[in-house]
């Protein structure tokens, strides 16, 4: 049923970048789509391990305005999702990257 609804409702299409070095393709994709305000969603553990470090450097080099939302717990709660959505709406982001 949900799949059927996704075919007729105006959901944005997800584009996955998964190959080696794909974070370097991200800036070009953002510019191509006309997206200029990005919310990067991750968790504190990944930030501490600096796994998103290369991605963040690439975004900084490309001069994309972005904010990191790293308040995602291991098992996200509804409150966590609502906080992230609130940030997305309040700051008027036009794109979202989940680095999880």
């Amino acid at each position: 049923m949900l799949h059927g609804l996704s075919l007729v409702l105006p959901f944005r299409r997800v584009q996955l970048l998964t190959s080696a070095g794909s974070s370097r393709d991200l800036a070009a994709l953002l510019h191509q789509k006309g997206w200029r305000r990005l919310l990067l969603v991750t968790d504190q553990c990944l930030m501490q391990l600096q796994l998103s470090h290369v991605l963040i450097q690439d975004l900084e080099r490309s001069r994309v305005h972005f904010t990191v939302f790293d308040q995602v717990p291991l098992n996200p709660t509804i409150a966590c999702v609502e906080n992230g959505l609130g940030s997305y709406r309040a700051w008027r982001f036009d794109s979202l990257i989940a680095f999880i």
Side-chain angles (χ1 to χ4, degrees), residues 1-57:
M1 179 175 169
L2 290 178
H3 175 70
L5 285 175
S6 72
L7 297 175
V8 296
L9 293 176
F11 292 120
R12 289 185 180 176
R13 296 283 180 206
V14 173
Q15 185 159 357
L16 298 176
L17 301 176
T18 58
S19 63
S22 61
S23 68
R24 292 184 177 85
D25 300 331
L26 182 61
L29 177 64
L30 291 170
H31 287 291
Q32 174 190 0
K33 299 284 187 181
W35 297 333
R36 303 287 182 258
R37 298 180 51 78
L38 169 70
L39 180 63
L40 175 61
V41 178
T42 188
D43 63 46
Q44 291 180 351
C45 182
L46 292 176
M47 290 297 288
Q48 290 172 355
L49 293 172
Q50 297 187 352
L51 295 179
S52 58
H53 185 68
V54 172
L55 172 60
I56 289 172
Q57 284 181 331

Side-chain angles (χ1 to χ4, degrees), residues 32-94:
Q32 174 190 0
K33 299 284 187 181
W35 297 333
R36 303 287 182 258
R37 298 180 51 78
L38 169 70
L39 180 63
L40 175 61
V41 178
T42 188
D43 63 46
Q44 291 180 351
C45 182
L46 292 176
M47 290 297 288
Q48 290 172 355
L49 293 172
Q50 297 187 352
L51 295 179
S52 58
H53 185 68
V54 172
L55 172 60
I56 289 172
Q57 284 181 331
D58 289 342
L59 291 171
E60 288 171 343
R61 271 193 293 271
S62 66
R63 297 190 176 117
V64 172
H65 172 77
F66 69 96
T67 299
V68 176
F69 180 80
D70 64 356
Q71 301 303 309
V72 180
L74 185 58
N75 293 310
T77 62
I78 291 174
C80 170
V81 173
E82 289 173 345
N83 287 339
L85 180 59
S87 295
Y88 185 89
R89 288 180 173 161
W91 293 98
R92 299 181 181 193
F93 292 105
D94 59 14

